[in-house]
Amino acid sequence: SSLKDDLSTSPQLFAPLSPYDVDLPIQTTEDALFGSQFNQPKELPADFSSVDLSFLPDITQDNKEQNLSEDGCEMQKELDGSIPRNEESSIFMAESSLSYPDTTQASPEASGACPPLTPMTPMTPVTPTSESSGIVPQLQNIVSTVNLACRLDLKNIALHARNAEYNPKRFAAVIMRIREPRTTALIFSSGKMVCTGAKSEEQSRLAARKYARVVQKLGFPAKFLDFKIQNMVGSCDVRFPIRLEGLVLTHQQFSSYEPELFPGLIYRMVKPRIVLLIFVSGKVVLTGAKERSEIYEAFENIYPILKGFKKAS
Amino acid sequence: MAAGGRCPGCGSAALVEDSHYAQQQLVCAACGCVLAEGLLTTTYTEEEHLREVAYSQSTGQKEQLSRCLQRGIRRVQDLCKVLQLPRVFEETAVSYFQRALQHPSFHLVSLEKKELLGGCCVFVTCRQHNWPVTMGTICSLLYAKQELFASVYLSLQKELELSVPALSLADLVKTHLNSFRLLQQAADVPAPFVEDKEKVVARTMQMVELASETWLVTGRHPVPILTAAAFLSWQSLQPGTRLSCTLGRFCRMAGVDLPPPAHLRLKELLEILLRMASQLAWLRVFKLDKKTVVKHIGDLLQHRLFLLKNAFCQQDGEEQGAAALGEGSPGSSPAAAGVAEEKGHPSGGKRQREGGPRPLLPPCLIHPRKRLRTAAPSPSGSAITGHEPISDSELEQYLRGPEEIRAFSRAKAWP
């Protein structure tokens, strides 16, 4: 990509290119602080009014150190994955050797040399990526919405389309289905549409476009605005039975297990914000994701926890 | 105005102090004219004789709470009294209820749901103190539909972020068996069927422990397991007379409902017991079936730890594949495995022979229900980008032709 080229050829390696805005200016600030360190070796700069910190969203020293140590995978998500990883981390590493002699003191936010604080919210423990489960959850359902941006006459649509169902007494929308990709759409008179049943994001987009085209062919000036994936559901099998009573004991603040109501355990993971349904057979359903990486991440987080219960019986 | 005055109407001196309902009045005995009313007491001694006003009434504390909240709190308190819960539970439940009603998601729900909310708060309090009570009990006390109760309970748990520990089955045994009439002398219960409660409770607890060890409890509704376990325990205490009694008759005599899954739980428990019996040396000579094994439940429960280890091969970090259950294992030598397994040495080979140890797995894995699945799309095969062109011909199939439209509108199928 063009950004890659800029990186390697441009002499202004530290000029704020847009994806790097968040990071590179930090270097200059650190330089400034570092410089000030030299001038006042004993005194920490308590007044940061001269330094322009407006670019900093909420990157604290912790995040920076995390970014350095976790191979830039945090930044990877923010940067939309357009830059190859190793290049990114090499920039960081180069910078770290120059400007971070004493990172704890050089933090613009911390006053005094306090060690990085760990967040107090209960976090599901993160596992090191080396112990990958080898199981990939399969996507089962994608729910997306799109705005056709024109008012629709639902009775008219139901009359002219073969694959449409409309029962205004039961539900105020037309239910339309297509065969390929096998999906169902709810089309409202406001022009908003919900598309469900696809097995991938691309399939969901293609299906939504087909529905929009059908509506166009029926004579409405339908557009295709604000297509958004609202929910993704995945499932997989860890292939060993799980003691749900034990899991609810050790992870009480995340779990809800009510055999009187539902045979599975409902695990509400905090990061990423995913709900998992865990069953005694070892099958796991993951839902609530807006991106498929959240599903994969959630499963990688839960797998070592579940493995811990395999031998506990 | 004192008692020594004269009536202004008739001039009589016969003034009496009477109270009109609760109000003190000075009345003339001759003409009935009221001279004074609502006298404030003037001396401390006079005040002593009156009843004190309750704090909640004088400060208007009750009036600060809305009527709905007051009614709900009263309902929560009544429920706690009916269930004979400790005083602490009542306070906790009331505080949960107040917190919940203030929450926007519960503030405007229907009255029916608000009634259930009180029951949910009591239920959560009981569970947090490990006080055994089932949702079924609360629902029957509130005359509530279980699905509605379930939805209110789950949203309560989520909104107030309450962590509710799992229900302990062992605790539930005692409270559940309390309602069994067979455990007390009753007129319509034949003498050989009456049983001592303590013995039944003790044996049922062991049976329930066995069930949870062998994966019969996880994910299942607790009450049918308790019913089946209680039935087997009761039968085994006097098998001679009781073997002929069916589960249905047992429940009728005990005065409890027979939940439909109880038959399945009974079958599963008997299967486990039969496998364990195959490992007891002095029982191997008998050809036990699901009736006769009941006679030996006492022995089986006594040695259950040893028998479980030998009757079932434990999963030692091996992956259970569906293939392993039905077919012979290709890896291990079948001959050696056949003899060695009987002695209780768990090996990798899993064979489906009569009396051979089977893996200790939940029933849903032992008898997987074969579901027809559409072939999973291979990740690289369907390289859909979402931006493909859409052909008109494909969309034509979804549009009605003019004759069709005419036919439909003639049929006046539209509202």
Side-chain angles (χ1 to χ4, degrees):
Chain A
S1 76
S2 60
L3 276 165
K4 197 155 68 161
D5 293 334
D6 280 346
L7 204 54
S8 47
T9 58
S10 163
Q12 309 166 309
L13 198 56
F14 306 121
L17 303 166
S18 45
Y20 290 90
D21 259 348
V22 177
D23 304 304
L24 294 176
I26 294 174
Q27 322 303 331
T28 53
T29 317
E30 292 303 324
D31 284 344
L33 292 174
F34 190 57
S36 67
Q37 284 290 323
F38 271 136
N39 299 336
Q40 307 152 339
K42 292 285 191 274
E43 213 177 322
L44 279 170
D47 173 30
F48 294 105
S49 52
S50 55
V51 177
D52 178 23
L53 300 173
S54 56
F55 59 87
L56 282 174
D58 39 18
I59 292 207
T60 58
Q61 192 58 30
D62 318 330
N63 285 4
K64 261 194 299 202
E65 289 185 6
Q66 263 186 10
N67 292 341
L68 293 174
S69 58
E70 282 182 32
D71 214 16
C73 57
E74 288 293 316
M75 299 311 300
Q76 191 69 16
K77 280 188 203 119
E78 288 179 35
L79 302 180
D80 209 23
S82 53
I83 312 298
R85 258 197 202 175
N86 44 17
E87 206 154 2
E88 213 177 271
S89 48
S90 66
I91 296 169
F92 271 107
M93 289 309 143
E95 276 317 294
S96 69
S97 57
L98 289 175
S99 323
Y100 298 144
D102 190 354
T103 45
T104 50
Q105 281 191 348
S107 162
E109 308 227 328
S111 55
C114 60
L117 297 166
T118 45
M120 293 304 284
T121 52
M123 297 287 223
T124 316
V126 175
T127 52
T129 44
S130 56
E131 231 185 86
S132 169
S133 64
I135 305 173
V136 181
Q138 203 185 14
L139 290 180
Q140 302 290 349
N141 183 25
I142 312 277
V143 178
S144 58
T145 54
V146 73
N147 185 5
L148 304 178
C150 64
R151 286 217 68 89
L152 302 172
D153 181 351
L154 299 185
K155 260 208 293 193
N156 190 292
I157 292 177
L159 178 59
H160 288 83
R162 283 197 187 125
N163 53 343
E165 200 183 298
Y166 180 48
N167 192 345
K169 290 196 189 123
R170 201 150 47 103
F171 192 54
V174 161
I175 302 168
M176 198 182 277
R177 292 174 226 269
I178 57 173
R179 276 180 272 271
E180 188 56 50
R182 203 162 147 273
T183 51
T184 306
L186 301 173
I187 306 175
F188 295 84
S189 55
S190 60
K192 299 267 173 68
M193 182 171 82
V194 179
C195 174
T196 65
K199 299 276 190 210
S200 76
E201 305 90 315
E202 299 82 17
Q203 278 189 23
S204 194
R205 187 188 202 94
L206 179 60
R209 282 176 55 228
K210 288 192 181 175
Y211 289 112
R213 283 289 297 280
V214 168
V215 170
Q216 272 177 352
K217 282 203 171 289
L218 292 171
F220 298 93
K223 300 202 191 45
F224 197 78
L225 305 179
D226 308 322
F227 175 80
K228 186 174 175 215
I229 305 276
Q230 298 290 356
N231 186 26
M232 300 174 75
V233 182
S235 72
C236 57
D237 188 355
V238 300
R239 306 184 80 82
F240 53 81
I242 302 167
R243 291 261 174 220
L244 302 177
E245 313 90 342
L247 182 58
V248 74
L249 261 173
T250 52
H251 288 75
Q252 216 175 56
Q253 65 269 54
F254 306 110
S255 323
S256 162
Y257 169 54
E258 296 296 332
E260 280 186 87
L261 298 180
F262 188 63
L265 185 147
I266 304 172
Y267 191 102
R268 291 183 196 275
M269 195 174 279
V270 171
K271 187 177 178 324
R273 208 163 144 269
I274 298 282
V275 173
L276 298 93
L277 302 177
I278 303 167
F279 296 90
V280 66
S281 57
K283 305 242 180 358
V284 180
V285 173
L286 306 99
T287 181
K290 292 270 197 290
E291 286 174 28
R292 73 163 68 200
S293 58
E294 291 175 359
I295 299 229
Y296 298 150
E297 193 189 332
F299 182 69
E300 291 302 318
N301 286 349
I302 202 77
Y303 187 70
I305 296 170
L306 298 179
K307 250 193 7 185
F309 280 91
K310 195 162 75 155
K311 294 182 176 113
S313 58
Chain B
M1 225 93 75
R6 286 195 168 268
C7 169
C10 61
S12 152
L15 300 173
V16 285
E17 267 190 41
D18 197 8
S19 52
H20 179 64
Y21 298 125
Q23 195 185 44
Q24 280 287 98
Q25 286 177 339
L26 196 61
V27 188
C28 169
C31 67
C33 161
V34 176
L35 276 81
E37 59 187 3
L39 290 169
L40 289 173
T41 54
T42 51
T43 65
Y44 188 70
T45 45
E46 287 171 54
E47 276 188 23
E48 268 177 338
H49 296 300
L50 300 174
R51 251 192 332 197
E52 65 182 44
V53 180
Y55 179 73
S56 53
Q57 283 177 322
S58 65
T59 53
Q61 199 183 37
K62 283 232 173 79
E63 278 78 50
Q64 285 169 8
L65 302 171
S66 71
R67 223 193 341 211
C68 172
L69 191 57
Q70 277 181 45
R71 243 207 312 264
I73 292 178
R74 236 197 327 271
R75 200 175 300 115
V76 169
Q77 289 170 335
D78 289 342
L79 202 55
C80 292
K81 285 196 186 71
V82 167
L83 290 170
Q84 296 179 334
L85 302 176
R87 178 109 192 128
V88 162
F89 287 23
E90 198 178 298
E91 288 155 11
T92 318
V94 168
S95 76
Y96 279 151
F97 184 72
Q98 282 181 300
R99 264 176 65 195
L101 267 192
Q102 280 163 6
H103 207 276
S105 46
F106 290 113
H107 203 57
L108 301 168
V109 296
S110 67
L111 211 54
E112 197 187 358
K113 275 197 178 165
K114 280 187 182 150
E115 289 174 16
L116 292 188
L117 192 59
C120 290
C121 294
V122 174
F123 179 72
V124 166
T125 312
C126 288
R127 284 278 294 272
Q128 287 182 333
H129 292 266
N130 286 317
W131 187 277
V133 66
T134 56
M135 281 188 205
T137 311
I138 307 268
C139 279
S140 59
L141 285 174
L142 293 174
Y143 306 110
K145 295 178 281 214
Q146 184 143 38
E147 308 86 52
L148 197 57
F149 185 88
S151 68
V152 176
Y153 168 72
L154 289 174
S155 35
L156 175 73
Q157 198 185 14
K158 191 170 148 225
E159 299 296 341
L160 292 189
E161 286 169 15
L162 303 166
S163 68
V164 183
L167 182 65
S168 152
L169 221 51
D171 294 335
L172 196 56
V173 167
K174 269 221 187 84
T175 45
H176 190 69
L177 291 181
N178 271 340
S179 54
F180 278 51
R181 279 179 49 239
L182 277 178
L183 308 178
Q184 306 128 352
Q185 283 285 351
D188 54 343
V189 175
F193 284 5
V194 177
E195 186 56 72
D196 172 42
K197 182 146 79 157
E198 290 311 317
K199 280 202 233 160
V200 177
V201 166
R203 191 161 277 198
T204 309
M205 292 244 236
Q206 291 181 325
M207 191 74 82
V208 163
E209 208 185 290
L210 176 70
S212 76
E213 266 293 312
T214 52
W215 294 103
L216 299 185
V217 169
T218 312
R220 268 94 172 269
H221 199 291
V223 174
I225 301 166
L226 286 179
T227 313
F231 173 63
L232 277 180
S233 312
W234 169 82
Q235 260 193 339
S236 67
L237 286 168
Q238 238 187 74
T241 46
R242 297 175 186 170
L243 265 180
S244 54
C245 178
T246 60
L247 180 57
R249 187 164 167 227
F250 171 75
C251 289
R252 266 195 307 271
M253 281 195 301
V256 293
D257 289 329
L258 172 58
H263 283 288
L264 293 166
R265 299 296 158 264
L266 187 61
K267 230 170 55 163
E268 286 167 357
L269 268 173
L270 285 168
E271 196 237 333
I272 300 279
L273 289 167
L274 277 170
R275 286 204 176 264
M276 284 164 66
S278 70
Q279 296 300 313
L280 255 190
W282 63 89
L283 287 183
R284 281 211 213 114
V285 287
F286 299 114
K287 277 248 141 197
L288 290 174
D289 64 10
K290 56 187 205 335
K291 280 277 181 201
T292 45
V293 73
V294 179
K295 295 188 215 152
H296 307 281
I297 282 182
D299 288 337
L300 293 174
L301 286 176
Q302 201 179 359
H303 304 283
R304 64 181 179 279
L305 293 171
F306 166 77
L307 293 172
L308 276 182
K309 242 194 302 186
N310 292 353
F312 303 97
C313 49
Q314 301 288 344
Q315 294 293 302
D316 279 305
E318 290 169 42
E319 284 186 5
Q320 53 85 21
L325 295 168
E327 304 127 60
S329 60
S332 58
S333 54
V339 177
E341 271 171 6
E342 280 288 329
K343 289 300 155 200
H345 188 77
S347 64
K350 300 168 185 70
R351 292 148 47 250
Q352 238 192 4
R353 219 184 55 158
E354 274 285 329
R358 70 150 168 83
L360 195 55
L361 292 173
C364 56
L365 289 176
I366 308 258
H367 309 290
R369 265 185 270 182
K370 294 249 155 74
R371 277 179 57 193
L372 287 156
R373 286 182 190 281
T374 52
S378 57
S380 55
S382 56
I384 297 187
T385 62
H387 299 279
E388 284 96 338
I390 302 165
S391 65
D392 277 354
S393 52
E394 189 190 338
L395 300 176
E396 289 300 319
Q397 65 177 312
Y398 297 123
L399 302 173
R400 288 209 170 108
E403 325 75 45
E404 244 183 285
I405 296 173
R406 254 178 273 131
F408 265 101
S409 29
R410 238 180 288 132
K412 287 211 174 105
W414 311 116

